Amino acid sequence: MKKMIALLLALAALLGCTACGQKEEAPTVEPDVAEMRAICELSTMDCYYHNVAKYFEKDAQKGFLGIGKKDKRFWIEYSGVVQMGIDASLVKIEVEDMRVTITIPEAKVLKCTVDSESLSQNSYIVDENSAKVKAADEVLAVSEAERQLEETAAKDKTLLANAQQRAKSLLEEYIKNIGEAVGKEYKIDWIHVDASGNPLGTAADASAETASAETGAEMPAA
Protein backbone atom coordinates (compact mmCIF):
# COMPACT_ATOMS: atom_id res chain seq x y z
CA MET A 1 0.00 0.00 0.00
CA LYS A 2 2.79 2.43 0.90
CA LYS A 3 4.48 1.67 -2.44
CA MET A 4 1.27 2.51 -4.33
CA ILE A 5 0.91 5.81 -2.49
CA ALA A 6 4.54 6.64 -3.21
CA LEU A 7 3.99 5.88 -6.91
CA LEU A 8 1.02 8.24 -7.05
CA LEU A 9 3.02 11.02 -5.44
CA ALA A 10 5.94 10.38 -7.79
CA LEU A 11 3.58 10.44 -10.78
CA ALA A 12 2.31 13.84 -9.74
CA ALA A 13 5.86 15.16 -9.65
CA LEU A 14 6.71 13.64 -13.05
CA LEU A 15 3.65 15.17 -14.69
CA GLY A 16 4.94 18.57 -13.72
CA CYS A 17 8.11 17.99 -15.74
CA THR A 18 6.39 17.46 -19.11
CA ALA A 19 7.34 20.96 -20.16
CA CYS A 20 11.04 20.61 -19.25
CA GLY A 21 13.25 22.10 -21.94
CA GLN A 22 10.44 24.35 -23.23
CA LYS A 23 11.29 27.62 -21.51
CA GLU A 24 8.60 29.51 -23.38
CA GLU A 25 5.81 27.44 -21.75
CA ALA A 26 5.21 27.08 -18.02
CA PRO A 27 3.90 23.80 -16.57
CA THR A 28 0.11 23.79 -16.12
CA VAL A 29 -0.29 20.78 -13.84
CA GLU A 30 -2.58 21.42 -10.88
CA PRO A 31 -3.85 19.27 -8.01
CA ASP A 32 -6.34 16.76 -9.37
CA VAL A 33 -9.36 15.52 -7.41
CA ALA A 34 -9.29 12.06 -9.01
CA GLU A 35 -5.69 11.53 -7.90
CA MET A 36 -6.49 12.86 -4.44
CA ARG A 37 -9.40 10.46 -4.08
CA ALA A 38 -7.16 7.58 -5.12
CA ILE A 39 -4.69 8.60 -2.40
CA CYS A 40 -7.51 8.66 0.16
CA GLU A 41 -8.63 5.17 -0.84
CA LEU A 42 -5.09 3.93 -0.22
CA SER A 43 -4.70 5.73 3.10
CA THR A 44 -7.03 3.50 5.14
CA MET A 45 -5.83 2.42 8.58
CA ASP A 46 -6.18 -1.13 9.95
CA CYS A 47 -6.78 -1.41 13.69
CA TYR A 48 -6.36 -4.74 15.46
CA TYR A 49 -8.46 -5.75 18.44
CA HIS A 50 -8.25 -8.76 20.76
CA ASN A 51 -11.61 -9.35 22.41
CA VAL A 52 -13.50 -11.70 24.65
CA ALA A 53 -17.21 -11.85 23.79
CA LYS A 54 -19.90 -13.41 25.94
CA TYR A 55 -22.93 -15.30 24.63
CA PHE A 56 -26.00 -15.80 26.84
CA GLU A 57 -29.40 -17.30 26.09
CA LYS A 58 -31.87 -17.72 28.94
CA ASP A 59 -33.76 -21.01 29.29
CA ALA A 60 -32.16 -22.42 26.13
CA GLN A 61 -32.86 -25.92 27.45
CA LYS A 62 -36.50 -26.12 28.58
CA GLY A 63 -36.51 -29.54 30.22
CA PHE A 64 -39.60 -31.61 31.03
CA LEU A 65 -42.17 -29.78 33.18
CA GLY A 66 -39.50 -27.21 33.96
CA ILE A 67 -37.11 -29.84 35.32
CA GLY A 68 -33.56 -29.62 33.95
CA LYS A 69 -34.05 -26.14 32.54
CA LYS A 70 -30.70 -24.50 31.64
CA ASP A 71 -29.36 -21.27 30.21
CA LYS A 72 -26.85 -21.29 27.39
CA ARG A 73 -23.66 -19.50 28.31
CA PHE A 74 -20.22 -19.41 26.69
CA TRP A 75 -17.37 -17.05 25.81
CA ILE A 76 -15.32 -16.49 22.65
CA GLU A 77 -11.77 -15.20 22.61
CA TYR A 78 -10.92 -13.80 19.18
CA SER A 79 -8.98 -11.21 17.19
CA GLY A 80 -10.64 -8.70 14.91
CA VAL A 81 -9.56 -6.19 12.26
CA VAL A 82 -11.29 -2.84 11.79
CA GLN A 83 -10.51 -0.77 8.70
CA MET A 84 -10.91 2.98 9.21
CA GLY A 85 -10.74 5.67 6.57
CA ILE A 86 -12.66 8.38 4.78
CA ASP A 87 -15.22 8.18 1.99
CA ALA A 88 -13.06 9.31 -0.93
CA SER A 89 -16.12 10.21 -3.03
CA LEU A 90 -16.80 13.10 -0.62
CA VAL A 91 -13.36 14.69 -1.16
CA LYS A 92 -13.57 17.92 -3.16
CA ILE A 93 -10.97 20.45 -4.27
CA GLU A 94 -10.94 24.08 -5.41
CA VAL A 95 -7.79 25.75 -6.72
CA GLU A 96 -7.56 29.54 -6.92
CA ASP A 97 -4.13 30.97 -7.63
CA MET A 98 -1.89 29.79 -4.76
CA ARG A 99 -4.72 28.64 -2.50
CA VAL A 100 -6.14 25.11 -2.46
CA THR A 101 -9.39 24.44 -0.60
CA ILE A 102 -9.98 20.77 0.22
CA THR A 103 -13.26 19.38 1.54
CA ILE A 104 -12.63 16.24 3.55
CA PRO A 105 -15.05 14.06 5.55
CA GLU A 106 -14.59 12.59 8.99
CA ALA A 107 -13.20 9.07 9.06
CA LYS A 108 -15.52 6.15 9.66
CA VAL A 109 -15.41 2.37 9.98
CA LEU A 110 -15.19 0.99 6.44
CA LYS A 111 -14.92 -2.70 7.24
CA CYS A 112 -14.97 -4.93 10.30
CA THR A 113 -14.11 -8.64 10.42
CA VAL A 114 -13.33 -11.32 12.96
CA ASP A 115 -10.11 -13.05 12.01
CA SER A 116 -11.20 -16.63 11.34
CA GLU A 117 -7.65 -17.84 11.83
CA SER A 118 -7.78 -16.63 15.43
CA LEU A 119 -10.65 -19.04 16.15
CA SER A 120 -10.14 -22.61 17.28
CA GLN A 121 -11.81 -25.07 19.64
CA ASN A 122 -9.83 -23.43 22.44
CA SER A 123 -11.41 -20.09 21.58
CA TYR A 124 -14.79 -21.24 22.91
CA ILE A 125 -15.11 -21.52 26.68
CA VAL A 126 -18.41 -23.09 27.73
CA ASP A 127 -19.79 -22.67 31.23
CA GLU A 128 -19.95 -26.03 32.98
CA ASN A 129 -23.65 -25.49 33.76
CA SER A 130 -24.55 -24.33 30.26
CA ALA A 131 -27.02 -25.99 27.93
CA LYS A 132 -25.40 -27.71 24.97
CA VAL A 133 -23.78 -25.29 22.52
CA LYS A 134 -24.41 -26.01 18.83
CA ALA A 135 -22.47 -24.96 15.72
CA ALA A 136 -25.26 -22.52 14.83
CA ASP A 137 -24.74 -20.80 18.20
CA GLU A 138 -21.06 -20.32 17.45
CA VAL A 139 -21.82 -18.82 14.00
CA LEU A 140 -24.35 -16.43 15.54
CA ALA A 141 -21.89 -15.48 18.26
CA VAL A 142 -19.19 -14.59 15.71
CA SER A 143 -21.66 -12.50 13.71
CA GLU A 144 -22.74 -10.63 16.83
CA ALA A 145 -19.10 -10.16 17.84
CA GLU A 146 -18.41 -8.44 14.50
CA ARG A 147 -21.40 -6.15 14.97
CA GLN A 148 -20.35 -5.12 18.45
CA LEU A 149 -16.73 -4.71 17.40
CA GLU A 150 -17.81 -2.31 14.65
CA GLU A 151 -20.02 -0.43 17.11
CA THR A 152 -17.14 -0.10 19.58
CA ALA A 153 -14.67 1.05 16.91
CA ALA A 154 -17.14 3.63 15.58
CA LYS A 155 -17.09 5.30 19.03
CA ASP A 156 -13.29 5.48 19.19
CA LYS A 157 -12.81 9.18 18.39
CA THR A 158 -9.03 9.05 18.77
CA LEU A 159 -8.50 6.30 16.20
CA LEU A 160 -11.00 7.90 13.81
CA ALA A 161 -9.13 11.22 14.13
CA ASN A 162 -5.87 9.40 13.41
CA ALA A 163 -7.37 7.87 10.27
CA GLN A 164 -8.50 11.25 8.99
CA GLN A 165 -5.14 12.84 9.82
CA ARG A 166 -3.37 10.08 7.89
CA ALA A 167 -5.38 10.98 4.78
CA LYS A 168 -4.78 14.71 5.29
CA SER A 169 -1.02 14.23 5.67
CA LEU A 170 -0.83 12.29 2.40
CA LEU A 171 -2.91 14.92 0.60
CA GLU A 172 -0.64 17.66 1.96
CA GLU A 173 2.38 15.77 0.64
CA TYR A 174 0.69 15.41 -2.74
CA ILE A 175 -0.08 19.14 -2.93
CA LYS A 176 3.49 19.97 -1.91
CA ASN A 177 4.91 17.73 -4.65
CA ILE A 178 2.63 19.31 -7.25
CA GLY A 179 3.72 22.78 -6.12
CA GLU A 180 7.41 21.90 -6.30
CA ALA A 181 6.93 20.48 -9.80
CA VAL A 182 5.39 23.71 -11.12
CA GLY A 183 7.34 26.16 -8.97
CA LYS A 184 4.48 27.14 -6.69
CA GLU A 185 3.92 27.07 -2.96
CA TYR A 186 0.28 26.28 -2.34
CA LYS A 187 -1.56 27.14 0.88
CA ILE A 188 -4.18 24.60 1.94
CA ASP A 189 -7.52 25.47 3.55
CA TRP A 190 -9.53 22.56 4.96
CA ILE A 191 -13.31 22.30 5.05
CA HIS A 192 -14.46 19.48 7.31
CA VAL A 193 -17.71 17.61 6.77
CA ASP A 194 -19.11 14.68 8.68
CA ALA A 195 -18.86 11.09 7.44
CA SER A 196 -22.05 11.59 5.41
CA GLY A 197 -20.89 14.83 3.77
CA ASN A 198 -22.87 17.30 5.93
CA PRO A 199 -20.95 20.56 6.57
CA LEU A 200 -19.12 20.99 9.87
CA GLY A 201 -17.50 24.29 8.86
CA THR A 202 -13.91 25.29 8.25
CA ALA A 203 -11.47 24.10 10.89
CA ALA A 204 -7.74 24.41 11.49
CA ASP A 205 -5.58 21.41 10.76
CA ALA A 206 -4.90 19.45 13.95
CA SER A 207 -2.99 16.28 14.72
CA ALA A 208 -4.31 13.53 17.00
CA GLU A 209 -2.37 11.35 19.37
CA THR A 210 -1.92 7.75 18.28
CA ALA A 211 -3.70 5.28 20.52
CA SER A 212 -4.05 1.52 20.69
CA ALA A 213 -7.40 0.02 21.54
CA GLU A 214 -8.39 -3.10 23.36
CA THR A 215 -12.07 -3.73 23.95
CA GLY A 216 -14.41 -6.30 25.41
CA ALA A 217 -17.99 -7.05 24.43
CA GLU A 218 -20.97 -8.79 25.99
CA MET A 219 -23.59 -10.17 23.67
CA PRO A 220 -27.30 -10.45 24.36
CA ALA A 221 -29.33 -13.56 23.75
CA ALA A 222 -30.27 -14.40 20.18
Side-chain angles (χ1 to χ4, degrees):
M1 181 177 292
K2 290 182 178 179
K3 290 183 178 179
M4 295 180 69
I5 294 174
L7 286 173
L8 276 172
L9 296 174
L11 176 61
L14 287 173
L15 287 174
C17 296
T18 55
C20 291
Q22 302 177 20
K23 296 183 180 179
E24 69 280 7
E25 295 183 8
T28 58
V29 176
E30 288 187 344
D32 180 78
V33 68
E35 291 180 356
M36 292 173 62
R37 286 175 176 172
I39 290 171
C40 291
E41 289 175 352
L42 295 171
S43 68
T44 55
M45 185 172 72
D46 290 338
C47 305
Y48 297 87
Y49 291 76
H50 188 74
N51 284 9
V52 175
K54 181 181 179 180
Y55 182 93
F56 174 78
E57 182 181 351
K58 187 172 180 60
D59 297 339
Q61 180 178 307
K62 301 299 183 181
F64 180 69
L65 297 178
I67 300 175
K69 183 168 57 177
K70 290 184 178 182
D71 299 334
K72 188 175 294 184
R73 192 194 311 270
F74 66 95
W75 294 263
I76 307 175
E77 184 176 2
Y78 68 95
S79 296
V81 182
V82 176
Q83 187 180 81
M84 296 181 176
I86 66 174
D87 184 346
S89 67
L90 297 177
V91 174
K92 299 178 182 178
I93 179 175
E94 294 180 12
V95 181
E96 185 175 351
D97 296 328
M98 309 297 291
R99 189 173 294 274
V100 179
T101 302
I102 302 174
T103 299
I104 187 169
E106 293 178 315
K108 64 180 181 179
V109 175
L110 301 176
K111 187 177 180 181
C112 180
T113 57
V114 170
D115 183 4
S116 59
E117 294 184 358
S118 71
L119 299 175
S120 67
Q121 288 300 320
N122 295 329
S123 299
Y124 298 88
I125 305 170
V126 182
D127 187 283
E128 60 181 7
N129 295 317
S130 172
K132 184 177 180 180
V133 175
K134 301 178 181 179
D137 298 322
E138 296 178 353
V139 172
L140 180 61
V142 171
S143 177
E144 181 64 14
E146 284 187 348
R147 186 194 68 78
Q148 292 201 8
L149 179 58
E150 180 176 359
E151 187 177 273
T152 299
K155 296 177 181 178
D156 195 325
K157 299 302 183 182
T158 299
L159 286 178
L160 289 171
N162 286 346
Q164 186 192 56
Q165 183 58 40
R166 175 181 171 84
K168 290 175 69 174
S169 296
L170 290 171
L171 291 177
E172 286 176 341
E173 186 175 355
Y174 166 79
I175 297 296
K176 179 181 177 181
N177 286 347
I178 287 287
E180 290 178 349
V182 297
K184 293 182 178 181
E185 185 176 350
Y186 289 109
K187 176 175 175 54
I188 301 176
D189 292 325
W190 296 98
I191 296 178
H192 293 143
V193 296
D194 65 20
S196 298
N198 301 313
L200 294 175
T202 303
D205 187 16
S207 59
E209 295 181 1
T210 303
S212 59
E214 182 174 305
T215 63
E218 180 171 333
M219 297 183 295

